[in-house]
């Protein structure tokens, strides 16, 4: 079976196992027929072997969990399909210990049947066998269902606890009881904003309208019981956490948290979700004791994540923290408190910090800039994706948010209060190169307006001339290089009032669409950047349009920038 055009051969599972053996030959050994993975150097103190498995496409579950501190063997089926009982039987026979074999089975019909048949065959041969059935999926908790809940993310925690206990010499009955208690104390929920790619290469398994979320998906890409409007991530995580807490027991020992990616969610996002879960538990007066964040149980390349919560018993933290020597099974670490600001830092020594100042609040410039950036955000993102990494719209919006929450000196001129707050926000809070460079632009505009006898177009032009010089000193960009310098220089050279100045900036930004990029990331794509303007240049026009609207509302300068954004939206797609 071909998974997609990136797999090799007709059987992606067989070729993946061969690659797995090449990558981890020192710690595992791989049987090709029947297919299973076994630990090459299992812990000699174990009395009982632990065997698990299931369909492929969930990697690193289960094959990546084989080795010291993990499973003795793992049995992979085809993609999203149960392994055959012959495979399970052969793997268990190969690793069986004098104390027997413990089978860890996720609650799916094919897995239950095939592991069950293998267990019967082993017992008939005289091998002691127990089974732990993992059924943690809260989304499939249906009253009266004979099938029961699906087995999902809690499998990671169950296998980690059992492996550590087996390494400590636990007997079969002890392990079976322990595993069942961990399962009973665990529940999981999963959501997805995009389906996985169908194993046959036929595109996405299902389509979701924009702004929709599947709430309660399975690890085989099953659609959820409900499709919901996609909330913000904090709201979504809080909702999931609240539901999980309703179904796991209260415990003074704290909770184990697993944030698991379903295939296409980045580690950056998973850590952010973990932080929200930990804060949510803290806010409820509950202790997040240990935590894991990563892709441990994938659903191929589904764009989603699952949360698992386990109510701990005494001694389980130590088992979760026990060391491992497997390709992918981690050791959990204690949950640390949220990082605090450096207590040695002196706010009075920071020119951006003005604790004695007044909140900027709804400053006219920042209010106008926020509205302009909100309208332009999708366009700015698409422009930056065409020539960079796509984060410019987020950076600009983040700087505005930081400025709106800042303070400014009580004696600062009204025309410069918002500029001062934005200056410090972009210089100190916004990352990359665009943030600090915009900070310099705002700094020069603010200085010019504070020093000028009147806050008019001439004062803004003086600030722009200073900004062009400052940006050139720092980054070397010149007019014609297709950067933020182009609209700033065009506006600085303009004549007339504020509307004329903004019109020159708009024309200067639009002209960058015909320029070959010679600075920054855009220079790496060369002629492919032609046809659409530089996002940083459009951002300068947004800033100047907002400033002109604040200084002279009747001039309608912001409408000029709005027309440019609307035109770009029609062409940038």
């Amino acid at each position: 079976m071909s998974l997609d055009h990136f797999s090799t051969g007709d059987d992606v599972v067989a070729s993946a196992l061969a690659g797995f053996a090449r990558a981890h030959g020192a710690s595992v050994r791989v049987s090709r027929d029947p297919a299973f993975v076994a630990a090459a150097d299992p812990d000699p103190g174990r009395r009982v072997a632990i065997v698990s498995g299931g369909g492929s496409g969930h990697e690193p579950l289960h094959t990546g969990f084989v080795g010291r501190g993990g499973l003795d063997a793992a049995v992979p089926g085809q993609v999203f399909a149960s392994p055959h009982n012959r495979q399970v039987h052969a793997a268990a026979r190969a690793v069986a210990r004098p104390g027997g074999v413990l089978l860890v089975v996720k609650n799916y019909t094919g897995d239950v049947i095939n592991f069950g048949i293998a267990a019967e065959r082993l017992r008939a041969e005289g091998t002691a066998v127990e089974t732990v059935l993992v059924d943690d999926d809260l989304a499939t908790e249906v009253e009266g269902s004979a099938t029961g809940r699906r087995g999902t993310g809690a499998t990671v925690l169950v296998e980690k606890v059992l492996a550590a206990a087996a390494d400590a010499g636990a007997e079969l009955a002890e392990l079976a009881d322990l595993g069942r208690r961990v399962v009973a104390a665990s529940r999981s929920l999963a959501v997805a904003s995009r389906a996985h790619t169908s194993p046959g290469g036929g595109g996405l398994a299902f389509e979701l309208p924009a702004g929709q979320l599947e709430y309660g998906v399975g690890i085989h890409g099953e659609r959820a019981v409900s499709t919901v409007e996609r909330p913000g991530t904090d709201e979504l995580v809080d909702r999931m956490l609240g539901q999980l807490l309703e179904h796991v027991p209260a415990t003074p020992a704290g909770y184990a948290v697993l944030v698991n990616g379903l295939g296409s969610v980045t580690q950056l996002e998973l850590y952010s979700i973990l932080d929200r879960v930990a804060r949510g538990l803290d806010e409820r007066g509950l202790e997040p004791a240990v935590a894991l964040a990563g892709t441990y149980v994938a659903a191929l390349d589904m764009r989603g994540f699952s949360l698992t919560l386990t109510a701990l018993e005494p001694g389980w933290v130590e088992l979760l923290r026990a060391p491992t020597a497997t390709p992918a099974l981690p050791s959990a670490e204690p949950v640390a408190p949220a990082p605090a600001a450096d207590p040695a830092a002196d706010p009075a020594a920071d020119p951006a910090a003005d604790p004695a100042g007044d909140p900027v609040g709804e400053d006219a410039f920042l209010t106008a800039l926020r509205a302009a950036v909100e309208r332009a955000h999708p366009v700015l993102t698409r422009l930056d994706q065409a020539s960079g990494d796509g984060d410019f719209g987020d950076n600009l919006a983040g700087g505005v948010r930081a400025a709106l929450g800042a303070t400014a000196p009580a004696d600062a001129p009204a025309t410069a209060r918002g500029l001062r707050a934005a200056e410090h926000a972009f210089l100190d809070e916004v990352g990359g190169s665009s943030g600090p460079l915009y900070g310099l632009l705002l700094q020069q505009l603010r200085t010019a307006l504070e020093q000028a006898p009147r806050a008019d177009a001439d004062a803004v032009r003086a600030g722009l001339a200073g900004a062009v010089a400052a940006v050139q000193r720092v980054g070397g960009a010149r007019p014609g290089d297709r950067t933020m310098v182009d609209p700033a220089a065009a506006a600085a050279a303009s004549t007339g009032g504020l509307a004329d100045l903004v019109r020159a900036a708009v024309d200067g930004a639009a002209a960058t669409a015909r320029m070959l990029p010679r600075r920054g990331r855009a220079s790496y794509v060369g002629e492919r950047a032609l046809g659409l303007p530089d996002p940083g240049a459009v951002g300068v026009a947004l800033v100047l349009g907002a400033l002109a609207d604040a200084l002279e509302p009747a001039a309608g300068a912001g409408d000029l920038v709005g027309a440019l954004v609307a035109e770009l939206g029609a062409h940038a797609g």
Side-chain angles (χ1 to χ4, degrees), residues 88-180:
V88 181
H89 176 243
R93 287 188 66 184
V95 300
R97 299 295 182 93
V101 176
L102 180 67
L103 302 178
V104 180
V105 186
K106 299 188 301 303
N107 190 27
Y108 290 94
T109 301
D111 288 2
V112 171
I113 290 173
N114 278 287
F115 276 82
I117 293 173
E120 293 300 323
R121 294 176 66 178
L122 290 165
R123 290 189 186 103
E125 295 167 354
T127 300
V129 181
E130 288 279 1
T131 296
V132 170
L133 186 69
V134 183
D135 60 348
D136 57 307
D137 181 25
L138 190 58
T140 48
E141 186 160 300
V142 179
E143 187 174 352
S145 169
T147 304
R149 296 180 297 267
R150 294 178 295 213
T152 59
T155 311
V156 180
L157 303 176
V158 171
E159 291 181 354
K160 177 66 185 72
V161 168
L162 289 174
D167 285 346
E171 299 286 358
L172 181 59
E174 295 177 79
L175 290 172
D177 176 67
L178 173 62
R180 291 162 191 157

Side-chain angles (χ1 to χ4, degrees), residues 461 491 494 497-508 541-549 556-561:
R461 289 189 185 94
S494 67
L498 284 168
D500 300 302
L501 182 151
V502 173
R503 186 175 292 107
V506 168
D507 292 343
L542 289 174
V543 169
L544 294 177
L547 181 59
D549 275 350
D559 296 338
L560 300 170
V561 187

Side-chain angles (χ1 to χ4, degrees), residues 138 189-191 215 235-245 305-307:
L138 190 58
L189 264 177
V191 297
Y215 193 90
E235 180 184 345
L236 173 64
V237 172
D238 284 343
R239 174 180 171 181
M240 296 170 71
L241 178 60
Q243 286 186 257
L244 292 172
L245 285 168
F305 68 92
S306 64
L307 294 185

